[in-house]
Amino acid sequence: MVFRFSMNRTDSLRISLLRAGHGIRTASLALLLLLAQSAFPAGADDEISEPLDYKMEDYRTPVPKTLEGATVVTAQQARTLWHEGKSVFIDVMPRPEKPADLPNDTLWRDMVRETIPGAVWLPNVGYGRLPPEREEYFRRSLEELSGGNKSKPLVFFCQANCWMSWNAAKRAREEYGFKNVIWFPQGTDGWGFPDAPLVKVDPRP
């Protein structure tokens, strides 16, 4: 008896059983299929397609490998850009905001964020839809950080499997007209370089 396993690009498992000698009992075949499906779950690594518009929900889910019109970089490539010092690194990790109606006796602790050294933290600009004041903040910050130069390299990141950086990079390119947009999908989760450890940062005003 020979078992032949073959997987296509989306890792959907196809099993071909070539019988030799005495055949395979139904119970044995069912057990084999169950074990195979457990080892190779369907769709575990399916490639994610880019949505036509911004991602509007489920921001902590697998992201695409691409962003149309932008450059996508690995951790090593991001590190090279960081060492060159010509790019602005922009962290778009969201930050819970203190509710306006929070009782005075309620203890509130602001989120602590550790990011790539020299990066600027622009929280809450990666949602699919931005309120007017947050969009104005994002647009103004990019204009100031780039010195008004639309060709300035801008590296957007957050964490791994975070659509916030994908949305922010897409908006900077498509709506704000920046021509050298770079997306670093792994973000701080992929930044493990001893010569540049993560540092605490406050949000940009």
Side-chain angles (χ1 to χ4, degrees):
M1 179 178 63
V2 179
F3 299 95
R4 182 175 299 157
F5 296 87
S6 62
M7 291 180 286
N8 61 16
R9 189 173 179 180
T10 58
D11 287 345
S12 60
L13 182 63
R14 295 178 300 175
I15 303 177
S16 176
L17 299 175
L18 303 180
R19 297 188 178 184
H22 296 291
I24 305 175
R25 293 182 179 178
T26 302
S28 299
L29 178 57
L31 178 59
L32 172 66
L33 290 173
L34 179 61
L35 291 174
Q37 291 170 355
S38 298
F40 301 98
D45 292 316
D46 285 353
E47 186 169 330
I48 307 300
S49 300
E50 290 189 42
L52 296 178
D53 204 346
Y54 299 107
K55 180 74 169 177
M56 304 299 293
E57 58 185 2
D58 298 329
Y59 295 107
R60 289 307 308 275
T61 55
V63 296
K65 295 180 180 179
T66 59
L67 173 53
E68 184 178 359
T71 301
V72 183
V73 295
T74 64
Q76 287 293 343
Q77 291 169 331
R79 182 174 183 266
T80 298
L81 292 173
W82 182 83
H83 274 291
E84 290 175 350
K86 298 178 181 178
S87 305
V88 179
F89 278 68
I90 301 172
D91 188 341
V92 298
M93 181 74 177
R95 180 195 192 209
E97 296 183 345
K98 184 177 181 180
D101 57 350
L102 192 70
N104 294 331
D105 59 350
T106 303
L107 179 63
W108 175 265
R109 293 182 178 176
D110 284 324
M111 172 183 169
V112 176
R113 175 61 170 160
E114 292 188 342
T115 193
I116 297 170
V120 180
W121 185 17
L122 304 182
N124 304 330
V125 299
Y127 290 99
R129 184 178 293 108
L130 299 180
E133 64 277 7
R134 184 55 51 173
E135 182 165 5
E136 191 279 331
Y137 164 79
F138 188 29
R139 186 190 295 268
R140 170 176 52 81
S141 294
L142 294 187
E143 289 291 335
E144 293 174 356
L145 293 170
S146 66
N149 179 8
K150 295 292 186 180
S151 296
K152 182 75 174 178
L154 304 178
V155 182
F156 292 90
F157 67 95
C158 180
Q159 294 177 320
N161 292 325
C162 177
W163 283 86
M164 293 284 181
S165 56
W166 192 91
N167 278 346
K170 180 181 178 71
R171 181 170 277 114
R173 189 188 70 82
E174 294 186 358
E175 294 190 33
Y176 304 162
F178 286 91
K179 304 182 186 332
N180 198 352
V181 171
I182 302 166
W183 178 41
F184 176 29
Q186 290 179 275
T188 50
D189 289 338
W191 191 269
F193 304 111
D195 63 330
L198 301 178
V199 297
K200 290 183 180 180
V201 65
D202 292 324
R204 188 175 197 268

